[in-house]
Amino acid sequence: MRLFLGQRAWVLQRVTALVLLILLALGAATLLTGPSRSYEGWHALATSTHGAVLIVVFFAALCLHGWIGVRDIVLDYIHAPALRLPLLALIAVILFAIFIRVVLTMAAHFAGGA
Amino acid sequence: MRVSIYRFNPETDAKPRMQDYDVAPEAGDKKLLDVLMRLKTMDDSLSFRRSCREGVCGSDAMNINGRNGLACLTSLPGLKEPVVLRPLPGFPVIRDLIVDMTQFFAHYHSIKPYLINNEVPPERERLQSPAEREKLNGLYECILCACCSAFCPSFWWNPDKFIGPAGLLQAYRFIADSRDTATAARLAYLDDVYRLYRCRTIMNCTEVCPKGLSPSHAIERIRLALVRESS
Ligand code: SF4
Ligand code: SF4
Ligand code: FES
């Protein structure tokens, strides 16, 4: 739990922001230039090992970053425990579901494509 | 000059109201506090705190035209009229411009605002190098007026749990002190989602401090110290 409280969360928020920034710039650069401008191009890229790993890393960072950010907003403005705890749980479930969905999609590609 | 002041007497008023005063400043009146003192002679029910009248005691902090400041350090020329005076935002009002500072000082005491060093004291004082002493500049000058904490949105939302810029600046004053030996315990106390990490670097605190201090900078230093501590 200490991973999500106090200093660790603050550091994690900054690290994930950096990861997102780099991957977003990288992604924009590859999508706007070179062969991956076409559908076939970026599909091939996304289903290559490198591409798949980066996509999973991107969504992991996105979900962690989103969790800390939304959690902070809830801690600031929503004070009634009866509202706060279910809301936090809901957000955690949604973010986790997004991440699992991404992992499963990528895994399906590899299982199917291999 | 026209002054509009927040009035509330819990013994007689159901709701607060704004009361307008017209007052002619006299030759010696230089600061807003001089005008308030003049108003007090016209209407002795008007309540506010003041003591040193020179920016040292921190008791006459109030919201002046939407911005927290010390009445005794606010010059009359340049003040937009009517001058709207309200109690420090986010603090419980006791009466008129007087607010309840209990919670503010509870946060201050929670950070142990005194030097902790249980080593055998030297014959004379504990010495510091000029460089070590330099680190306390910009920290020790805080007069605990609460202008910063009462201008911090994070403090408005969580005044019971977030220590607030004033308390955190004071906390760093002892973390930065070379003579203090409780640094690790102080940092461990602050490593908390509420106590320290409610700060969102909005920097209202630094913007508003009438002593020109930078609580947000002190908070940044605490965060960096925590990162260094854990790595
Ligand atoms: S940091 Fe500045 S504004 Fe805050 S309490 Fe100290 S003197 Fe007042
Ligand atoms: S920098 Fe932090 S302490 Fe200062 S006003 Fe902003 S949130 Fe409050
Ligand atoms: S009266 Fe003391 S700080 Fe203003």
Side-chain angles (χ1 to χ4, degrees):
Chain A
M1 212 44 209
R2 286 198 38 93
L3 187 60
F4 297 109
L5 292 172
Q7 192 238 132
R8 302 277 173 80
W10 185 79
V11 171
L12 201 63
Q13 191 176 35
R14 270 131 197 91
V15 172
T16 50
L18 203 67
V19 169
L20 289 176
L21 206 69
I22 292 170
L23 288 184
L24 223 49
L26 213 66
T30 39
L31 285 187
L32 293 177
T33 58
S36 45
R37 269 167 69 181
S38 68
Y39 173 79
E40 288 77 18
W42 73 256
H43 185 265
L45 188 73
T47 49
S48 71
T49 320
H50 281 111
V53 167
L54 287 184
I55 286 172
V56 171
V57 168
F58 178 84
F59 276 92
L62 186 72
C63 291
L64 280 174
H65 192 79
W67 163 249
I68 298 166
V70 180
R71 179 211 63 169
D72 268 344
I73 296 170
V74 171
L75 291 189
D76 273 355
Y77 299 110
I78 299 176
H79 290 208
L83 204 62
R84 179 190 272 192
L85 295 178
L87 199 62
L88 283 176
L90 183 73
I91 294 161
V93 167
I94 292 175
L95 288 173
F96 196 65
I98 292 176
F99 179 66
I100 293 299
R101 175 68 212 264
V102 170
V103 171
L104 289 180
T105 310
M106 301 317 293
H109 263 295
F110 279 90
Chain B
M1 102 183 259
R2 171 157 290 215
V3 189
S4 175
I5 304 182
Y6 176 104
R7 301 297 310 270
F8 178 63
N9 177 352
E11 281 160 23
T12 55
D13 306 340
K15 280 199 317 231
R17 65 199 154 85
M18 297 303 287
Q19 184 173 346
D20 286 348
Y21 293 91
D22 281 303
V23 55
E26 290 181 19
D29 296 351
K30 302 274 188 249
K31 303 287 178 181
L32 180 60
L33 184 62
D34 299 325
V35 168
L36 273 171
M37 297 297 287
R38 208 161 284 292
L39 282 175
K40 179 85 180 168
T41 61
M42 293 160 55
D43 173 359
D44 65 3
S45 73
L46 177 64
S47 308
F48 55 88
R49 288 193 183 106
R50 64 100 182 81
S51 178
C52 70
R53 56 106 187 96
E54 56 184 14
V56 171
C57 70
S59 57
D60 63 341
M62 57 187 72
N63 189 275
I64 305 159
N65 282 345
R67 207 187 131 88
N68 295 349
L70 298 171
C72 63
L73 292 188
T74 304
S75 298
L76 289 177
L79 261 189
K80 207 173 121 277
E81 286 186 48
V83 183
V84 182
L85 302 181
R86 293 173 183 275
L88 285 179
F91 281 51
V93 175
I94 293 176
R95 181 173 166 150
D96 298 346
L97 299 175
I98 298 178
V99 293
D100 186 349
M101 310 274 285
T102 311
Q103 191 152 59
F104 176 82
F105 281 111
H107 281 308
Y108 171 60
H109 290 298
S110 79
I111 59 99
K112 303 206 167 110
Y114 38 82
L115 199 76
I116 299 176
N117 188 330
N118 293 329
E119 290 159 15
V120 184
E123 199 78 3
R124 294 176 67 191
E125 70 267 45
R126 295 187 199 278
L127 296 176
Q128 283 191 302
S129 70
E132 286 166 343
R133 173 59 187 79
E134 171 71 30
K135 289 190 181 144
L136 305 183
N137 287 350
L139 302 170
Y140 80 92
E141 300 94 327
C142 172
I143 57 173
L144 291 167
C145 64
C147 282
C148 55
S149 293
F151 218 45
C152 166
S154 289
F155 194 72
W156 294 336
W157 311 142
N158 284 294
D160 51 335
K161 302 198 193 85
F162 176 44
I163 289 177
L168 290 171
L169 179 112
Q170 292 282 347
Y172 187 61
R173 182 246 169 276
F174 290 97
I175 290 169
D177 196 313
S178 62
R179 299 162 295 180
D180 191 276
T181 54
T183 311
R186 292 180 187 280
L187 287 174
Y189 179 74
L190 295 177
D191 185 5
D192 179 88
V193 239
Y194 283 106
R195 290 183 195 134
L196 171 66
Y197 289 100
R198 278 311 82 202
C199 169
R200 226 33 66 65
T201 323
I202 305 162
M203 285 178 76
N204 270 10
C205 51
T206 297
E207 216 274 315
V208 88
C209 174
K211 303 293 283 183
L213 310 180
S214 180
S216 60
H217 182 246
I219 292 169
E220 208 52 42
R221 301 307 293 253
I222 298 176
R223 289 185 181 129
L224 292 178
L226 269 162
V227 171
R228 241 177 282 122
E229 184 88 346
S230 69
S231 57

